Amino acid sequence: MNRSRAVRSAGIVVLAANVLLAFAKGAVWLQTGSLAVGSEAVNSLADSVYSIVVLGGLYLTTQPPDFEHPHGHERIEPFVSLFVALGVFAAGVLVLWRATTSLLSGDISVTTGWLAAAVLVGTGVAKYALYRYCLRVGEEARSPAVVATALDNRNDILTAGAALIGVLGARFGLPALDPIAAGVVSLGILYTGWEIVEDNVDYLVGRAPPEDLRADIVRRALDHPDVEGVHDVIAHYVGPEIDVSLHVEVEGDRTLIEAHGIETRIMDSIRDIPEVDEVFVHVDPKELGEWKPDDEADKLADTSLGDGDEN
């Protein structure tokens, strides 16, 4: 999978879909006067605007390494994701405000036409397809920005569903369903914004990866026949990628060439983990007294052995 091409393509597809949906909803709004469809048209227009910014951010993150950025530009991605989160929060607050003011004022006006319902159903179908597509690309390309975009498209399914409830409620004499449904949906949108922030702040503050991945790192180091133990294993996120450093314990009678071979083989093995970027291995000879107990490394080693037994 060409990561750069896949990520950029996702950004283009989302932008094009949002522009088309904005035009379709706008046309139905002008024809029916539906406030539910009108608000959805504004929502799609806003999505189109921020999709341009996201596309620009994705273009930057997929640029190759250069002199000033020797590790590439992927570390920009969490900031793109946080921009998406801002859009999600803004949408959630707006929906909640509209729902609350409509209920308090009693000014609830929605259309009963089937054309409005049809465009909202179409929106839900299109947004579900975008959600699945972006989620697949984001997970395969390990792109937090594309995953955040997927979650935002999931939110649009909810807002379109709330608008559809309002249209159908009005048709059956229950117009108050519109703001009630919108209020419930707004809480889900705000929670999604929090999910995006929580995930991407981890990338920015250097949080450790999941325990199973750290256990896999330890297992790969211990798989080398000359390694007697490991300690000071540090793995942390740098942007969406992981940097690893660890000390491996070997007998001190190895030649410099043999020690270099041990280090290189372990580095290559750990780098084969898709999420890992840089690996730093320090070889500690037994005779220098640098071997030491490490409860966390022992725990990870036991975890990796347990996973191996299950497999």
Side-chain angles (χ1 to χ4, degrees), residues 78-154:
F79 294 100
V80 178
S81 303
L82 292 177
F83 179 82
V84 174
L86 287 177
V88 171
F89 280 127
V93 171
L94 179 61
V95 171
L96 182 60
W97 179 79
R98 288 184 63 250
T100 302
T101 54
S102 295
L103 279 174
L104 293 178
S105 66
D107 183 18
I108 303 171
S109 177
V110 290
T111 184
T112 59
W114 288 114
L115 184 59
V119 76
L120 293 173
V121 170
T123 296
V125 172
K127 286 295 184 175
Y128 179 76
L130 283 174
Y131 163 65
R132 298 300 306 176
Y133 166 68
C134 289
L135 188 63
R136 177 179 60 81
V137 172
E139 291 179 346
E140 291 180 357
R142 301 186 308 279
S143 170
V146 177
V147 171
T149 302
L151 296 179
D152 183 56
N153 280 293
R154 186 184 67 183

Side-chain angles (χ1 to χ4, degrees), residues 11 23 31 39 47 106 110 115 122 129 136 145 154 159 171 201 204 214 230 233 235 301:
F23 275 110
Q31 185 171 349
S39 64
D47 286 345
V110 290
L115 184 59
R136 177 179 60 81
R154 186 184 67 183
T159 58
R171 187 169 186 84
V201 165
L204 293 174
R214 287 181 284 138
V230 299
V233 181

Side-chain angles (χ1 to χ4, degrees), residues 254-274:
R254 300 296 185 267
T255 66
L256 179 59
I257 293 176
E258 289 173 334
H260 179 269
I262 294 170
E263 176 189 8
T264 301
R265 182 170 162 184
I266 293 172
M267 288 173 58
D268 290 342
S269 177
I270 295 175
R271 279 203 187 107
D272 285 341
I273 301 174

Side-chain angles (χ1 to χ4, degrees), residues 29 34-44 98 163:
W29 181 21
S34 167
L35 292 180
V37 175
S39 64
E40 276 294 295
V42 173
N43 184 32
S44 289
R98 288 184 63 250

